[in-house]
Amino acid sequence: MSIQRTFSIIKPDATARNLTGGINALIEAAGLRIVAQKRIWLTRVQAESFYGVHQARPFFADLVSFMISGPVVVQVLEGEDAIATYRKVMGATNPTDADAGTIRKEFAQSIEANSVHGSDAPETAAIEIPFFFSGCEIVG
Ligand code: GDP
């Protein structure tokens, strides 16, 4: 166990329903600190690049269209074992499989419009955080 940082996105389905504060409350209740946060509207190029690992998946085009359909809130979260802790708070990718009390069980609409993204490994967080934030924008 150690203090880690992870990258989070509050997705367009959640910002459209005014759920940023509700999601942040669950993040903070889990002991994670929001050490950077900004609301942006992704371009198609940014979304395609960010989700490049899924390029060959059948849902890639739909996922990119969804991610640019409205504003998102990008965040850096810090805390004990932050990557695994946030994955637990997020819940399963498909909200029907997510545990009670998780963000996706409480708020997600579908396997695609599932309200949040979180890094899945230290190597991913190390790429995703600097994709959106410079060092001086992260204040721990
Ligand atoms: P995550 O790490 O739990 O976000 O899940 P993945 O990395 O497997 O997938 C990335 C994102 O693609 C998910 O959060 C969903 O928004 C979307 N996604 C995953 N699986 C599907 C699917 O079967 N259909 C559609 N339309 N979208 C999906």
Side-chain angles (χ1 to χ4, degrees):
M1 298 272 272
S2 62
I3 298 294
Q4 269 182 338
R5 285 178 175 171
T6 190
F7 176 71
S8 161
I9 304 178
I10 299 177
K11 296 184 179 181
D13 68 285
T15 60
R17 290 176 290 145
N18 216 19
L19 293 173
T20 300
I23 289 171
N24 280 350
L26 291 181
I27 289 170
E28 293 184 336
L32 294 167
R33 303 179 69 82
I34 301 164
V35 296
Q37 174 170 265
K38 59 189 172 190
R39 183 173 167 107
I40 59 174
W41 198 312
L42 291 173
T43 65
R44 178 172 293 279
V45 170
Q46 287 171 334
E48 285 176 350
S49 172
F50 182 79
Y51 277 116
V53 65
H54 293 308
Q55 209 162 2
R57 309 279 284 274
F59 57 83
F60 179 70
D62 285 345
L63 175 59
V64 169
S65 296
F66 164 61
M67 290 300 292
I68 65 174
S69 66
V72 298
V73 176
V74 293
Q75 305 174 306
V76 180
L77 311 180
E78 185 178 86
E80 200 66 49
D81 237 356
I83 294 167
T85 299
Y86 189 43
R87 295 292 303 187
K88 203 168 166 197
V89 176
M90 288 164 55
T93 307
N94 189 338
T96 59
D97 301 331
D99 290 338
T102 62
I103 293 169
R104 285 168 166 169
K105 184 54 126 191
E106 296 300 311
F107 299 127
Q109 296 179 305
S110 68
I111 192 169
E112 178 177 88
N114 60 6
S115 301
V116 282
H117 165 86
S119 305
D120 59 5
E123 300 74 27
T124 326
I127 294 168
E128 293 178 345
I129 291 170
F131 189 90
F132 288 101
F133 292 98
S134 64
C136 66
E137 291 178 302
I138 304 168
V139 183

PDB file of all heavy atoms in Angstrom, residues 38-74:
ATOM      1  N   LYS A  38     -10.636  19.701 -13.950  1.00  0.00           N
ATOM      2  CA  LYS A  38     -11.107  20.743 -14.873  1.00  0.00           C
ATOM      3  C   LYS A  38     -12.189  20.182 -15.781  1.00  0.00           C
ATOM      4  O   LYS A  38     -12.207  18.986 -16.093  1.00  0.00           O
ATOM      5  CB  LYS A  38      -9.948  21.340 -15.678  1.00  0.00           C
ATOM      6  CG  LYS A  38      -9.153  20.378 -16.519  1.00  0.00           C
ATOM      7  CD  LYS A  38      -7.896  21.085 -17.085  1.00  0.00           C
ATOM      8  CE  LYS A  38      -6.987  20.091 -17.771  1.00  0.00           C
ATOM      9  NZ  LYS A  38      -5.669  20.657 -18.118  1.00  0.00           N
ATOM     10  N   ARG A  39     -13.088  21.088 -16.203  1.00  0.00           N
ATOM     11  CA  ARG A  39     -14.191  20.711 -17.081  1.00  0.00           C
ATOM     12  C   ARG A  39     -13.815  21.120 -18.501  1.00  0.00           C
ATOM     13  O   ARG A  39     -13.484  22.281 -18.754  1.00  0.00           O
ATOM     14  CB  ARG A  39     -15.457  21.440 -16.613  1.00  0.00           C
ATOM     15  CG  ARG A  39     -16.728  21.111 -17.379  1.00  0.00           C
ATOM     16  CD  ARG A  39     -17.884  21.794 -16.673  1.00  0.00           C
ATOM     17  NE  ARG A  39     -19.096  21.815 -17.459  1.00  0.00           N
ATOM     18  CZ  ARG A  39     -20.163  21.060 -17.203  1.00  0.00           C
ATOM     19  NH1 ARG A  39     -20.139  20.213 -16.201  1.00  0.00           N
ATOM     20  NH2 ARG A  39     -21.254  21.162 -17.940  1.00  0.00           N
ATOM     21  N   ILE A  40     -13.838  20.147 -19.408  1.00  0.00           N
ATOM     22  CA  ILE A  40     -13.429  20.402 -20.789  1.00  0.00           C
ATOM     23  C   ILE A  40     -14.396  19.693 -21.739  1.00  0.00           C
ATOM     24  O   ILE A  40     -15.179  18.843 -21.322  1.00  0.00           O
ATOM     25  CB  ILE A  40     -11.989  19.902 -21.070  1.00  0.00           C
ATOM     26  CG1 ILE A  40     -11.866  18.397 -20.806  1.00  0.00           C
ATOM     27  CG2 ILE A  40     -10.977  20.669 -20.219  1.00  0.00           C
ATOM     28  CD1 ILE A  40     -10.512  17.815 -21.201  1.00  0.00           C
ATOM     29  N   TRP A  41     -14.315  20.049 -23.009  1.00  0.00           N
ATOM     30  CA  TRP A  41     -15.088  19.349 -24.043  1.00  0.00           C
ATOM     31  C   TRP A  41     -14.061  18.704 -24.967  1.00  0.00           C
ATOM     32  O   TRP A  41     -13.340  19.404 -25.679  1.00  0.00           O
ATOM     33  CB  TRP A  41     -15.991  20.332 -24.800  1.00  0.00           C
ATOM     34  CG  TRP A  41     -17.103  19.671 -25.560  1.00  0.00           C
ATOM     35  CD1 TRP A  41     -17.011  18.597 -26.387  1.00  0.00           C
ATOM     36  CD2 TRP A  41     -18.491  20.038 -25.539  1.00  0.00           C
ATOM     37  NE1 TRP A  41     -18.248  18.272 -26.886  1.00  0.00           N
ATOM     38  CE2 TRP A  41     -19.176  19.134 -26.392  1.00  0.00           C
ATOM     39  CE3 TRP A  41     -19.220  21.050 -24.888  1.00  0.00           C
ATOM     40  CZ2 TRP A  41     -20.557  19.217 -26.614  1.00  0.00           C
ATOM     41  CZ3 TRP A  41     -20.589  21.122 -25.113  1.00  0.00           C
ATOM     42  CH2 TRP A  41     -21.246  20.218 -25.957  1.00  0.00           C
ATOM     43  N   LEU A  42     -13.970  17.386 -24.933  1.00  0.00           N
ATOM     44  CA  LEU A  42     -12.968  16.678 -25.734  1.00  0.00           C
ATOM     45  C   LEU A  42     -13.216  16.879 -27.225  1.00  0.00           C
ATOM     46  O   LEU A  42     -14.361  16.898 -27.678  1.00  0.00           O
ATOM     47  CB  LEU A  42     -13.024  15.176 -25.446  1.00  0.00           C
ATOM     48  CG  LEU A  42     -12.563  14.699 -24.068  1.00  0.00           C
ATOM     49  CD1 LEU A  42     -12.849  13.212 -23.919  1.00  0.00           C
ATOM     50  CD2 LEU A  42     -11.096  14.974 -23.873  1.00  0.00           C
ATOM     51  N   THR A  43     -12.132  16.982 -27.995  1.00  0.00           N
ATOM     52  CA  THR A  43     -12.246  16.940 -29.449  1.00  0.00           C
ATOM     53  C   THR A  43     -12.250  15.465 -29.882  1.00  0.00           C
ATOM     54  O   THR A  43     -11.849  14.575 -29.124  1.00  0.00           O
ATOM     55  CB  THR A  43     -11.051  17.638 -30.115  1.00  0.00           C
ATOM     56  OG1 THR A  43      -9.862  16.879 -29.806  1.00  0.00           O
ATOM     57  CG2 THR A  43     -10.896  19.068 -29.634  1.00  0.00           C
ATOM     58  N   ARG A  44     -12.666  15.223 -31.115  1.00  0.00           N
ATOM     59  CA  ARG A  44     -12.639  13.858 -31.641  1.00  0.00           C
ATOM     60  C   ARG A  44     -11.208  13.298 -31.632  1.00  0.00           C
ATOM     61  O   ARG A  44     -10.982  12.153 -31.245  1.00  0.00           O
ATOM     62  CB  ARG A  44     -13.221  13.837 -33.068  1.00  0.00           C
ATOM     63  CG  ARG A  44     -13.202  12.468 -33.719  1.00  0.00           C
ATOM     64  CD  ARG A  44     -13.969  12.466 -35.028  1.00  0.00           C
ATOM     65  NE  ARG A  44     -15.392  12.679 -34.833  1.00  0.00           N
ATOM     66  CZ  ARG A  44     -16.264  11.729 -34.477  1.00  0.00           C
ATOM     67  NH1 ARG A  44     -15.840  10.489 -34.289  1.00  0.00           N
ATOM     68  NH2 ARG A  44     -17.540  12.003 -34.328  1.00  0.00           N
ATOM     69  N   VAL A  45     -10.253  14.129 -32.014  1.00  0.00           N
ATOM     70  CA  VAL A  45      -8.854  13.673 -32.048  1.00  0.00           C
ATOM     71  C   VAL A  45      -8.379  13.285 -30.644  1.00  0.00           C
ATOM     72  O   VAL A  45      -7.719  12.256 -30.457  1.00  0.00           O
ATOM     73  CB  VAL A  45      -7.950  14.774 -32.657  1.00  0.00           C
ATOM     74  CG1 VAL A  45      -6.479  14.437 -32.475  1.00  0.00           C
ATOM     75  CG2 VAL A  45      -8.269  14.952 -34.135  1.00  0.00           C
ATOM     76  N   GLN A  46      -8.731  14.092 -29.654  1.00  0.00           N
ATOM     77  CA  GLN A  46      -8.331  13.776 -28.276  1.00  0.00           C
ATOM     78  C   GLN A  46      -8.967  12.466 -27.811  1.00  0.00           C
ATOM     79  O   GLN A  46      -8.304  11.622 -27.205  1.00  0.00           O
ATOM     80  CB  GLN A  46      -8.742  14.908 -27.323  1.00  0.00           C
ATOM     81  CG  GLN A  46      -7.893  16.154 -27.456  1.00  0.00           C
ATOM     82  CD  GLN A  46      -8.474  17.320 -26.657  1.00  0.00           C
ATOM     83  OE1 GLN A  46      -9.686  17.385 -26.403  1.00  0.00           O
ATOM     84  NE2 GLN A  46      -7.616  18.233 -26.266  1.00  0.00           N
ATOM     85  N   ALA A  47     -10.275  12.305 -28.091  1.00  0.00           N
ATOM     86  CA  ALA A  47     -10.979  11.096 -27.630  1.00  0.00           C
ATOM     87  C   ALA A  47     -10.437   9.853 -28.337  1.00  0.00           C
ATOM     88  O   ALA A  47     -10.245   8.809 -27.701  1.00  0.00           O
ATOM     89  CB  ALA A  47     -12.485  11.243 -27.872  1.00  0.00           C
ATOM     90  N   GLU A  48     -10.179   9.956 -29.625  1.00  0.00           N
ATOM     91  CA  GLU A  48      -9.641   8.806 -30.368  1.00  0.00           C
ATOM     92  C   GLU A  48      -8.258   8.436 -29.849  1.00  0.00           C
ATOM     93  O   GLU A  48      -7.914   7.257 -29.739  1.00  0.00           O
ATOM     94  CB  GLU A  48      -9.572   9.124 -31.864  1.00  0.00           C
ATOM     95  CG  GLU A  48     -10.940   9.088 -32.523  1.00  0.00           C
ATOM     96  CD  GLU A  48     -10.909   9.504 -33.987  1.00  0.00           C
ATOM     97  OE1 GLU A  48      -9.867  10.011 -34.457  1.00  0.00           O
ATOM     98  OE2 GLU A  48     -11.948   9.350 -34.641  1.00  0.00           O
ATOM     99  N   SER A  49      -7.468   9.438 -29.516  1.00  0.00           N
ATOM    100  CA  SER A  49      -6.132   9.177 -28.995  1.00  0.00           C
ATOM    101  C   SER A  49      -6.213   8.572 -27.586  1.00  0.00           C
ATOM    102  O   SER A  49      -5.558   7.573 -27.287  1.00  0.00           O
ATOM    103  CB  SER A  49      -5.344  10.482 -28.999  1.00  0.00           C
ATOM    104  OG  SER A  49      -4.132  10.304 -28.339  1.00  0.00           O
ATOM    105  N   PHE A  50      -7.044   9.155 -26.740  1.00  0.00           N
ATOM    106  CA  PHE A  50      -7.160   8.678 -25.361  1.00  0.00           C
ATOM    107  C   PHE A  50      -7.602   7.218 -25.324  1.00  0.00           C
ATOM    108  O   PHE A  50      -7.098   6.417 -24.539  1.00  0.00           O
ATOM    109  CB  PHE A  50      -8.137   9.560 -24.572  1.00  0.00           C
ATOM    110  CG  PHE A  50      -8.265   9.150 -23.140  1.00  0.00           C
ATOM    111  CD1 PHE A  50      -7.284   9.507 -22.221  1.00  0.00           C
ATOM    112  CD2 PHE A  50      -9.327   8.376 -22.713  1.00  0.00           C
ATOM    113  CE1 PHE A  50      -7.372   9.098 -20.899  1.00  0.00           C
ATOM    114  CE2 PHE A  50      -9.423   7.957 -21.390  1.00  0.00           C
ATOM    115  CZ  PHE A  50      -8.448   8.329 -20.486  1.00  0.00           C
ATOM    116  N   TYR A  51      -8.594   6.864 -26.170  1.00  0.00           N
ATOM    117  CA  TYR A  51      -9.125   5.502 -26.179  1.00  0.00           C
ATOM    118  C   TYR A  51      -8.486   4.645 -27.281  1.00  0.00           C
ATOM    119  O   TYR A  51      -9.051   3.632 -27.684  1.00  0.00           O
ATOM    120  CB  TYR A  51     -10.643   5.529 -26.339  1.00  0.00           C
ATOM    121  CG  TYR A  51     -11.378   5.763 -25.028  1.00  0.00           C
ATOM    122  CD1 TYR A  51     -12.144   6.899 -24.824  1.00  0.00           C
ATOM    123  CD2 TYR A  51     -11.305   4.838 -23.989  1.00  0.00           C
ATOM    124  CE1 TYR A  51     -12.827   7.114 -23.627  1.00  0.00           C
ATOM    125  CE2 TYR A  51     -11.973   5.046 -22.788  1.00  0.00           C
ATOM    126  CZ  TYR A  51     -12.731   6.174 -22.615  1.00  0.00           C
ATOM    127  OH  TYR A  51     -13.387   6.359 -21.423  1.00  0.00           O
ATOM    128  N   GLY A  52      -7.290   5.040 -27.750  1.00  0.00           N
ATOM    129  CA  GLY A  52      -6.611   4.331 -28.826  1.00  0.00           C
ATOM    130  C   GLY A  52      -6.453   2.837 -28.589  1.00  0.00           C
ATOM    131  O   GLY A  52      -6.509   2.037 -29.528  1.00  0.00           O
ATOM    132  N   VAL A  53      -6.317   2.447 -27.317  1.00  0.00           N
ATOM    133  CA  VAL A  53      -6.148   1.033 -26.976  1.00  0.00           C
ATOM    134  C   VAL A  53      -7.382   0.209 -27.379  1.00  0.00           C
ATOM    135  O   VAL A  53      -7.293  -0.999 -27.590  1.00  0.00           O
ATOM    136  CB  VAL A  53      -5.842   0.890 -25.460  1.00  0.00           C
ATOM    137  CG1 VAL A  53      -7.017   1.336 -24.616  1.00  0.00           C
ATOM    138  CG2 VAL A  53      -5.427  -0.516 -25.097  1.00  0.00           C
ATOM    139  N   HIS A  54      -8.528   0.877 -27.518  1.00  0.00           N
ATOM    140  CA  HIS A  54      -9.776   0.178 -27.881  1.00  0.00           C
ATOM    141  C   HIS A  54     -10.104   0.293 -29.366  1.00  0.00           C
ATOM    142  O   HIS A  54     -11.210  -0.075 -29.778  1.00  0.00           O
ATOM    143  CB  HIS A  54     -10.954   0.757 -27.087  1.00  0.00           C
ATOM    144  CG  HIS A  54     -10.883   0.489 -25.615  1.00  0.00           C
ATOM    145  ND1 HIS A  54     -10.702  -0.759 -25.087  1.00  0.00           N
ATOM    146  CD2 HIS A  54     -10.968   1.326 -24.550  1.00  0.00           C
ATOM    147  CE1 HIS A  54     -10.671  -0.698 -23.763  1.00  0.00           C
ATOM    148  NE2 HIS A  54     -10.819   0.567 -23.417  1.00  0.00           N
ATOM    149  N   GLN A  55      -9.141   0.770 -30.158  1.00  0.00           N
ATOM    150  CA  GLN A  55      -9.397   1.073 -31.571  1.00  0.00           C
ATOM    151  C   GLN A  55     -10.005  -0.090 -32.350  1.00  0.00           C
ATOM    152  O   GLN A  55     -10.856   0.121 -33.223  1.00  0.00           O
ATOM    153  CB  GLN A  55      -8.074   1.456 -32.236  1.00  0.00           C
ATOM    154  CG  GLN A  55      -8.232   2.399 -33.390  1.00  0.00           C
ATOM    155  CD  GLN A  55      -6.915   3.086 -33.717  1.00  0.00           C
ATOM    156  OE1 GLN A  55      -5.895   2.813 -33.093  1.00  0.00           O
ATOM    157  NE2 GLN A  55      -6.944   3.974 -34.688  1.00  0.00           N
ATOM    158  N   ALA A  56      -9.583  -1.308 -32.026  1.00  0.00           N
ATOM    159  CA  ALA A  56     -10.054  -2.477 -32.784  1.00  0.00           C
ATOM    160  C   ALA A  56     -11.386  -3.020 -32.264  1.00  0.00           C
ATOM    161  O   ALA A  56     -11.960  -3.928 -32.865  1.00  0.00           O
ATOM    162  CB  ALA A  56      -9.005  -3.573 -32.734  1.00  0.00           C
ATOM    163  N   ARG A  57     -11.882  -2.469 -31.150  1.00  0.00           N
ATOM    164  CA  ARG A  57     -13.118  -3.007 -30.552  1.00  0.00           C
ATOM    165  C   ARG A  57     -14.328  -2.521 -31.339  1.00  0.00           C
ATOM    166  O   ARG A  57     -14.335  -1.402 -31.879  1.00  0.00           O
ATOM    167  CB  ARG A  57     -13.241  -2.557 -29.081  1.00  0.00           C
ATOM    168  CG  ARG A  57     -12.019  -2.817 -28.231  1.00  0.00           C
ATOM    169  CD  ARG A  57     -11.916  -4.241 -27.722  1.00  0.00           C
ATOM    170  NE  ARG A  57     -12.828  -4.486 -26.615  1.00  0.00           N
ATOM    171  CZ  ARG A  57     -12.540  -4.221 -25.340  1.00  0.00           C
ATOM    172  NH1 ARG A  57     -11.390  -3.673 -25.007  1.00  0.00           N
ATOM    173  NH2 ARG A  57     -13.413  -4.513 -24.380  1.00  0.00           N
ATOM    174  N   PRO A  58     -15.384  -3.331 -31.417  1.00  0.00           N
ATOM    175  CA  PRO A  58     -16.562  -2.962 -32.220  1.00  0.00           C
ATOM    176  C   PRO A  58     -17.261  -1.695 -31.725  1.00  0.00           C
ATOM    177  O   PRO A  58     -17.935  -1.022 -32.505  1.00  0.00           O
ATOM    178  CB  PRO A  58     -17.491  -4.178 -32.096  1.00  0.00           C
ATOM    179  CG  PRO A  58     -16.974  -4.976 -30.947  1.00  0.00           C
ATOM    180  CD  PRO A  58     -15.516  -4.677 -30.830  1.00  0.00           C
ATOM    181  N   PHE A  59     -17.091  -1.377 -30.436  1.00  0.00           N
ATOM    182  CA  PHE A  59     -17.788  -0.214 -29.874  1.00  0.00           C
ATOM    183  C   PHE A  59     -16.953   1.075 -29.938  1.00  0.00           C
ATOM    184  O   PHE A  59     -17.376   2.111 -29.432  1.00  0.00           O
ATOM    185  CB  PHE A  59     -18.213  -0.484 -28.421  1.00  0.00           C
ATOM    186  CG  PHE A  59     -17.074  -0.847 -27.491  1.00  0.00           C
ATOM    187  CD1 PHE A  59     -16.280   0.132 -26.907  1.00  0.00           C
ATOM    188  CD2 PHE A  59     -16.814  -2.181 -27.183  1.00  0.00           C
ATOM    189  CE1 PHE A  59     -15.248  -0.198 -26.045  1.00  0.00           C
ATOM    190  CE2 PHE A  59     -15.769  -2.521 -26.315  1.00  0.00           C
ATOM    191  CZ  PHE A  59     -14.989  -1.530 -25.752  1.00  0.00           C
ATOM    192  N   PHE A  60     -15.773   1.026 -30.593  1.00  0.00           N
ATOM    193  CA  PHE A  60     -14.863   2.182 -30.568  1.00  0.00           C
ATOM    194  C   PHE A  60     -15.519   3.461 -31.110  1.00  0.00           C
ATOM    195  O   PHE A  60     -15.471   4.522 -30.470  1.00  0.00           O
ATOM    196  CB  PHE A  60     -13.590   1.859 -31.359  1.00  0.00           C
ATOM    197  CG  PHE A  60     -12.602   2.992 -31.404  1.00  0.00           C
ATOM    198  CD1 PHE A  60     -11.902   3.373 -30.276  1.00  0.00           C
ATOM    199  CD2 PHE A  60     -12.373   3.686 -32.583  1.00  0.00           C
ATOM    200  CE1 PHE A  60     -10.980   4.419 -30.310  1.00  0.00           C
ATOM    201  CE2 PHE A  60     -11.458   4.731 -32.635  1.00  0.00           C
ATOM    202  CZ  PHE A  60     -10.765   5.095 -31.496  1.00  0.00           C
ATOM    203  N   ALA A  61     -16.155   3.376 -32.288  1.00  0.00           N
ATOM    204  CA  ALA A  61     -16.745   4.581 -32.901  1.00  0.00           C
ATOM    205  C   ALA A  61     -17.843   5.149 -32.006  1.00  0.00           C
ATOM    206  O   ALA A  61     -17.926   6.372 -31.808  1.00  0.00           O
ATOM    207  CB  ALA A  61     -17.292   4.251 -34.280  1.00  0.00           C
ATOM    208  N   ASP A  62     -18.690   4.257 -31.454  1.00  0.00           N
ATOM    209  CA  ASP A  62     -19.764   4.713 -30.559  1.00  0.00           C
ATOM    210  C   ASP A  62     -19.180   5.358 -29.304  1.00  0.00           C
ATOM    211  O   ASP A  62     -19.688   6.380 -28.822  1.00  0.00           O
ATOM    212  CB  ASP A  62     -20.654   3.537 -30.142  1.00  0.00           C
ATOM    213  CG  ASP A  62     -21.579   3.091 -31.256  1.00  0.00           C
ATOM    214  OD1 ASP A  62     -21.744   3.853 -32.236  1.00  0.00           O
ATOM    215  OD2 ASP A  62     -22.116   1.977 -31.159  1.00  0.00           O
ATOM    216  N   LEU A  63     -18.114   4.757 -28.776  1.00  0.00           N
ATOM    217  CA  LEU A  63     -17.494   5.276 -27.552  1.00  0.00           C
ATOM    218  C   LEU A  63     -16.937   6.684 -27.790  1.00  0.00           C
ATOM    219  O   LEU A  63     -17.161   7.592 -26.974  1.00  0.00           O
ATOM    220  CB  LEU A  63     -16.386   4.323 -27.090  1.00  0.00           C
ATOM    221  CG  LEU A  63     -15.541   4.758 -25.898  1.00  0.00           C
ATOM    222  CD1 LEU A  63     -16.392   4.982 -24.657  1.00  0.00           C
ATOM    223  CD2 LEU A  63     -14.438   3.721 -25.612  1.00  0.00           C
ATOM    224  N   VAL A  64     -16.251   6.862 -28.906  1.00  0.00           N
ATOM    225  CA  VAL A  64     -15.687   8.181 -29.216  1.00  0.00           C
ATOM    226  C   VAL A  64     -16.818   9.202 -29.389  1.00  0.00           C
ATOM    227  O   VAL A  64     -16.771  10.309 -28.829  1.00  0.00           O
ATOM    228  CB  VAL A  64     -14.790   8.118 -30.469  1.00  0.00           C
ATOM    229  CG1 VAL A  64     -14.424   9.510 -30.954  1.00  0.00           C
ATOM    230  CG2 VAL A  64     -13.525   7.312 -30.161  1.00  0.00           C
ATOM    231  N   SER A  65     -17.869   8.844 -30.124  1.00  0.00           N
ATOM    232  CA  SER A  65     -19.001   9.768 -30.322  1.00  0.00           C
ATOM    233  C   SER A  65     -19.625  10.151 -28.978  1.00  0.00           C
ATOM    234  O   SER A  65     -19.969  11.314 -28.747  1.00  0.00           O
ATOM    235  CB  SER A  65     -20.078   9.133 -31.200  1.00  0.00           C
ATOM    236  OG  SER A  65     -19.574   8.899 -32.479  1.00  0.00           O
ATOM    237  N   PHE A  66     -19.768   9.154 -28.104  1.00  0.00           N
ATOM    238  CA  PHE A  66     -20.330   9.428 -26.777  1.00  0.00           C
ATOM    239  C   PHE A  66     -19.436  10.375 -25.976  1.00  0.00           C
ATOM    240  O   PHE A  66     -19.920  11.338 -25.371  1.00  0.00           O
ATOM    241  CB  PHE A  66     -20.522   8.105 -26.022  1.00  0.00           C
ATOM    242  CG  PHE A  66     -20.726   8.272 -24.541  1.00  0.00           C
ATOM    243  CD1 PHE A  66     -21.806   8.987 -24.045  1.00  0.00           C
ATOM    244  CD2 PHE A  66     -19.822   7.728 -23.634  1.00  0.00           C
ATOM    245  CE1 PHE A  66     -21.983   9.155 -22.670  1.00  0.00           C
ATOM    246  CE2 PHE A  66     -19.988   7.896 -22.271  1.00  0.00           C
ATOM    247  CZ  PHE A  66     -21.075   8.613 -21.792  1.00  0.00           C
ATOM    248  N   MET A  67     -18.133  10.138 -26.014  1.00  0.00           N
ATOM    249  CA  MET A  67     -17.216  10.930 -25.191  1.00  0.00           C
ATOM    250  C   MET A  67     -17.093  12.385 -25.645  1.00  0.00           C
ATOM    251  O   MET A  67     -16.645  13.240 -24.880  1.00  0.00           O
ATOM    252  CB  MET A  67     -15.834  10.274 -25.138  1.00  0.00           C
ATOM    253  CG  MET A  67     -15.800   8.970 -24.338  1.00  0.00           C
ATOM    254  SD  MET A  67     -16.294   9.133 -22.605  1.00  0.00           S
ATOM    255  CE  MET A  67     -14.941  10.111 -21.941  1.00  0.00           C
ATOM    256  N   ILE A  68     -17.488  12.658 -26.905  1.00  0.00           N
ATOM    257  CA  ILE A  68     -17.432  14.052 -27.387  1.00  0.00           C
ATOM    258  C   ILE A  68     -18.834  14.666 -27.481  1.00  0.00           C
ATOM    259  O   ILE A  68     -19.000  15.740 -28.040  1.00  0.00           O
ATOM    260  CB  ILE A  68     -16.699  14.153 -28.750  1.00  0.00           C
ATOM    261  CG1 ILE A  68     -17.465  13.431 -29.865  1.00  0.00           C
ATOM    262  CG2 ILE A  68     -15.286  13.606 -28.633  1.00  0.00           C
ATOM    263  CD1 ILE A  68     -16.838  13.640 -31.257  1.00  0.00           C
ATOM    264  N   SER A  69     -19.825  13.984 -26.900  1.00  0.00           N
ATOM    265  CA  SER A  69     -21.210  14.457 -27.010  1.00  0.00           C
ATOM    266  C   SER A  69     -21.537  15.567 -26.013  1.00  0.00           C
ATOM    267  O   SER A  69     -22.611  16.168 -26.077  1.00  0.00           O
ATOM    268  CB  SER A  69     -22.173  13.284 -26.823  1.00  0.00           C
ATOM    269  OG  SER A  69     -22.089  12.786 -25.490  1.00  0.00           O
ATOM    270  N   GLY A  70     -20.640  15.842 -25.091  1.00  0.00           N
ATOM    271  CA  GLY A  70     -20.878  16.884 -24.089  1.00  0.00           C
ATOM    272  C   GLY A  70     -19.623  17.074 -23.263  1.00  0.00           C
ATOM    273  O   GLY A  70     -18.621  16.368 -23.474  1.00  0.00           O
ATOM    274  N   PRO A  71     -19.667  18.013 -22.315  1.00  0.00           N
ATOM    275  CA  PRO A  71     -18.481  18.251 -21.488  1.00  0.00           C
ATOM    276  C   PRO A  71     -18.161  17.076 -20.574  1.00  0.00           C
ATOM    277  O   PRO A  71     -19.039  16.293 -20.219  1.00  0.00           O
ATOM    278  CB  PRO A  71     -18.848  19.496 -20.678  1.00  0.00           C
ATOM    279  CG  PRO A  71     -20.313  19.638 -20.779  1.00  0.00           C
ATOM    280  CD  PRO A  71     -20.765  18.922 -22.008  1.00  0.00           C
ATOM    281  N   VAL A  72     -16.882  16.989 -20.211  1.00  0.00           N
ATOM    282  CA  VAL A  72     -16.431  16.001 -19.231  1.00  0.00           C
ATOM    283  C   VAL A  72     -15.663  16.757 -18.140  1.00  0.00           C
ATOM    284  O   VAL A  72     -15.251  17.900 -18.345  1.00  0.00           O
ATOM    285  CB  VAL A  72     -15.511  14.927 -19.868  1.00  0.00           C
ATOM    286  CG1 VAL A  72     -16.243  14.137 -20.942  1.00  0.00           C
ATOM    287  CG2 VAL A  72     -14.232  15.545 -20.427  1.00  0.00           C
ATOM    288  N   VAL A  73     -15.492  16.090 -17.015  1.00  0.00           N
ATOM    289  CA  VAL A  73     -14.635  16.644 -15.956  1.00  0.00           C
ATOM    290  C   VAL A  73     -13.467  15.682 -15.795  1.00  0.00           C
ATOM    291  O   VAL A  73     -13.682  14.499 -15.477  1.00  0.00           O
ATOM    292  CB  VAL A  73     -15.404  16.817 -14.636  1.00  0.00           C
ATOM    293  CG1 VAL A  73     -14.463  17.298 -13.521  1.00  0.00           C
ATOM    294  CG2 VAL A  73     -16.563  17.792 -14.804  1.00  0.00           C
ATOM    295  N   VAL A  74     -12.261  16.159 -16.078  1.00  0.00           N
ATOM    296  CA  VAL A  74     -11.072  15.315 -15.906  1.00  0.00           C
ATOM    297  C   VAL A  74     -10.448  15.636 -14.550  1.00  0.00           C
ATOM    298  O   VAL A  74     -10.460  16.785 -14.104  1.00  0.00           O
ATOM    299  CB  VAL A  74     -10.066  15.491 -17.070  1.00  0.00           C
ATOM    300  CG1 VAL A  74     -10.638  14.947 -18.360  1.00  0.00           C
ATOM    301  CG2 VAL A  74      -9.646  16.951 -17.248  1.00  0.00           C
TER     302      VAL A  74
END
